[in-house]
Structures are given as structure tokens and as C-alpha cells.
Amino acid sequence: MRVIRVGTRKSQLARIQTDTVVAMLKALYPGLQFEIIAMSTTGDKILDTALSKIGEKSLFTKELEHALERNEVDLVVHSLKDLPTVLPPAFTIGAICKRENPCDAVVFHPKFVGKTLETLPERSVVGTSSLRRAAQLKRKFPHLEFKSIRGNLNTRLRKLDELQEFSAIILATAGLQRMGWQNRVGPDILGCFFHQGALGVEVRAKDQDILDLVGVLHDPETLLRCIAERAFLRHLEGGCSVPVAVHTAMKDGQLYLTGGVWSLDGSDSMQETMQATIHVPAQHEDGPEDDPQLVGITARNIPRGAQLAAENLGISLARLLLNKGAKNILDVARQLNDAH
């Protein structure tokens, strides 16, 4: 029986996410066997430095890509938000699975359960690994202090519960749900983020056999939304070192894209929304045959026109923000982040 080797990070959440993808593949290909190979990445090892300070775009992917390159694994399952918008040319995202809740959640220290961010005491410390989350929330909750917190989900929750350093931490709702920890989510309703809640399957760009194997996992709506988000972020050159946010919604054949940039302290910001008419196929259709990659994604079973429309929407919104002065906000944010 043929064995397909699947790479993943070692954390419990990463394993749960990988098991989910492997279960879908097993259902589609009962004649194949799947072996999961877990490894640690740079981002898993460097836990004493804020993500925005490390200066490495492939923090959670590089070691897994090396394994792909050396043919030690056939595919890798990632949280899509960990994948840079520009991939090394040897790799591509061969599948984007149906997205779960893309929003942020607040988890409170046990002594503050029942509180909201608004009602936390003055100078309470809120932990987050994201510059974007801190910038957005500083503006809304000036009575709070925000501090970097690193580690996988288990580590961050343990730091919250056992140390007296944090009153609350901000996490991705989808991760908490996948771990079965929905009961820890506080009442605050926060925004949604680039690719959050979506899983991506990375493969070798020239491995047509594996591309065909995983391509059936593409969820057409999630795929088109993520193409727009990645195009927006790539055109803005957004990453971990600048506070950039983007969110999409699909309604009545319209793809709505909302993007924004913030200064590090949240005092200066700019946000815009654009929309485009995009046909989302109810099922897989014939797509492009030649070099079909867009923003690092290969989807031969989704019409090329829909993919290009999504990419153009992302680029158009980024250009609109840049024309209105977003570059200055981002440049200052990068300089301040580098200086601290």
C-alpha cells in the first residue's frame, strides 16, 4: 500500500489540524496509507522574543519546507496564516480547506472570568503574539497595557493561568475550538484576521501527483477569499513586523474585502472596504492548465477568472490604501518596531 508522508509542527493544535486533513484524505483515498511526521520549527524554538522582532518570515514553515525539499515528506499541513505571501519557488499551496471562525477571542485569567476588556482594572496586562492585535486594541482600550506572549496554545494558556503576569490573552477562536476549549472564550467580540481559521496544504510545486491528490480539498469560497487577502497583504508588504489587518466576506455573489493599517500605538489608522462580483463554483470545475499559481496558491479545479478577480480585488484595495497614505503609517511602524 502506498504511504503518503505528512509533515506538521509538534504542537497539540498542529497535530489536531493535521489529523483533520489526513482524515479527509483517508475518506477520499481509502487505498492509501498516511504517515504523520512531526517536527519543531524556528518559531517553536525561539520563545523569548516577540514575533515582530525575529525578522524571519518563514518562522513556522522553514524546517517543514526543508523536509519537503529533501523528499522526506510529501505534503505539509499549516495554519494558513503562518505561510508567507511569497513562497520559495519550489513550493505551492495545493489546498485550502474550508475556513472555521476567523475571529480573535479573549481568554481571561480565572480571577477575571466574567469581565470584559472594558471592565478590566486600570493597567491590566493583556498578552498577544500579534502587533496587529495590540495596535487595534490599544486604541480601543487605552487603560490596558499590552505585552508579547509566545508559545503554543497550551503554553500560553498555562502562562495565563499559572503566572500572575497577564489578566487576559488574545488568541484565535478557531484554535480554541479545535482544542475543545470554547468554554474559555470571554464575551468580547473582536475582529477577524488574515487567513485565520483556514488550513493550507503545502506541496512541491512540480509534484503533479500530490497536487492532484490534495487539490480536491480546496473549498472554493475559502480559496477565493484567501487569494484576495494574500494579494492585499503581499502588495502592502505586510507581515509580522507591521500592524495590518484584512477580512473578507462573501454575500450574494459579491466578495467584500476590508483592509486596514495601524500605527504601533493604534493612534493612527486607515481602513477601507472594496467589493467585486465573483462567481464561486458550487463544485470543482476545470481551471487553468498552465502555471496556475496565484499568490503562492495552485488551484487547477477553480475557474481562472474567479481567481484573478479575487487577486485584483486584493491588489486594488492595497493600492487605494497606499494612495491615501498607508505607506507612511507602515514605514513609521517598521522603524519604531526595529528601534525597540
Side-chain angles (χ1 to χ4, degrees):
M1 186 180 279
R2 185 183 175 193
V3 177
I4 305 295
R5 301 156 302 167
V6 183
T8 178
R9 290 166 62 194
K10 283 184 174 177
S11 75
Q12 185 184 354
L13 176 59
R15 291 301 301 265
I16 287 171
Q17 292 175 169
T18 301
D19 287 346
T20 301
V21 172
V22 168
M24 289 190 284
L25 288 171
K26 279 181 176 175
L28 289 163
Y29 306 106
L32 296 180
Q33 211 170 340
F34 294 86
E35 177 190 358
I36 295 175
I37 299 170
M39 58 195 81
S40 295
T41 65
T42 304
D44 296 315
K45 294 168 188 168
I46 304 176
L47 296 177
D48 57 352
T49 308
L51 289 177
S52 59
K53 303 289 185 193
I54 299 173
E56 166 64 65
K57 284 188 176 178
S58 320
L59 275 178
F60 298 106
T61 61
K62 191 159 67 172
E63 286 76 7
L64 292 159
E65 287 176 341
H66 283 168
L68 260 181
E69 192 172 32
R70 294 190 297 261
N71 201 22
E72 294 166 359
V73 297
D74 300 302
L75 57 103
V76 176
V77 178
H78 300 282
S79 290
L80 194 59
K81 62 186 171 66
D82 291 338
L83 278 166
T85 55
V86 179
L87 297 183
F91 309 116
T92 188
I93 300 165
I96 296 179
C97 305
K98 189 173 176 61
R99 185 182 232 152
E100 296 184 34
N101 190 322
C103 295
D104 291 333
V106 186
V107 178
F108 290 90
H109 186 282
K111 70 181 178 186
F112 291 120
V113 169
K115 294 273 191 187
T116 63
L117 290 175
E118 187 68 59
T119 58
L120 278 176
E122 189 84 18
R123 298 180 69 82
S124 291
V125 177
V126 177
T128 173
S129 62
S130 162
L131 268 185
R132 183 262 322 169
R133 286 171 176 150
Q136 287 176 309
L137 294 173
K138 279 176 186 173
R139 181 173 185 151
K140 196 171 181 184
F141 305 104
H143 69 294
L144 301 177
E145 294 182 3
F146 293 87
K147 187 175 175 184
S148 172
I149 184 169
R150 293 289 319 286
N152 60 41
L153 224 49
N154 309 59
T155 302
R156 280 184 267 178
L157 280 172
R158 190 164 61 248
K159 286 179 180 178
L160 171 68
D161 292 344
E162 295 177 8
L163 307 178
Q164 299 304 309
E165 187 175 0
F166 299 100
S167 301
I169 58 177
I170 313 296
L171 298 168
T173 302
L176 290 163
Q177 289 175 338
R178 288 174 184 141
M179 296 284 276
W181 295 337
Q182 298 94 319
N183 62 322
R184 293 299 305 265
V185 176
D188 289 271
I189 297 173
L190 300 184
C192 306
F193 184 43
F194 160 76
H195 285 5
Q196 208 152 268
L199 300 180
V201 181
E202 188 178 17
V203 302
R204 289 179 289 274
K206 302 295 184 189
D207 193 339
Q208 193 54 53
D209 188 30
I210 297 295
L211 268 168
D212 290 342
L213 185 90
V214 302
V216 294
L217 298 180
H218 271 307
D219 176 69
E221 180 178 318
T222 304
L223 167 83
L224 294 169
R225 289 171 61 181
C226 288
I227 285 176
E229 292 170 14
R230 287 176 73 81
F232 171 80
L233 214 67
R234 179 191 275 191
H235 205 73
L236 274 184
E237 297 181 358
C240 289
S241 61
V242 287
V244 175
V246 60
H247 174 59
T248 48
M250 188 76 78
K251 188 178 180 185
D252 300 329
Q254 295 289 307
L255 177 57
Y256 295 86
L257 180 66
T258 300
V261 300
W262 282 259
S263 58
L264 287 190
D265 63 1
S267 61
D268 198 4
S269 68
M270 187 178 294
Q271 192 165 308
E272 293 287 348
T273 298
M274 292 181 78
Q275 69 191 76
T277 302
I278 291 182
H279 165 65
V280 180
Q283 58 191 29
H284 289 168
E285 301 175 4
D286 287 340
E289 288 298 326
D290 55 328
D291 192 25
Q293 273 205 51
L294 280 184
V295 286
I297 300 166
T298 298
R300 284 198 170 94
N301 46 11
I302 308 295
R304 182 71 162 180
Q307 294 186 52
L308 287 170
E311 182 190 43
N312 289 337
L313 178 62
I315 292 170
S316 297
L317 182 61
R319 283 177 177 158
L320 176 64
L321 286 175
L322 290 170
N323 289 340
K324 290 193 166 190
K327 187 177 187 304
N328 185 51
I329 296 174
L330 293 175
D331 286 345
V332 171
R334 280 193 187 93
Q335 290 162 9
L336 288 173
N337 182 56
D338 292 344
H340 281 76

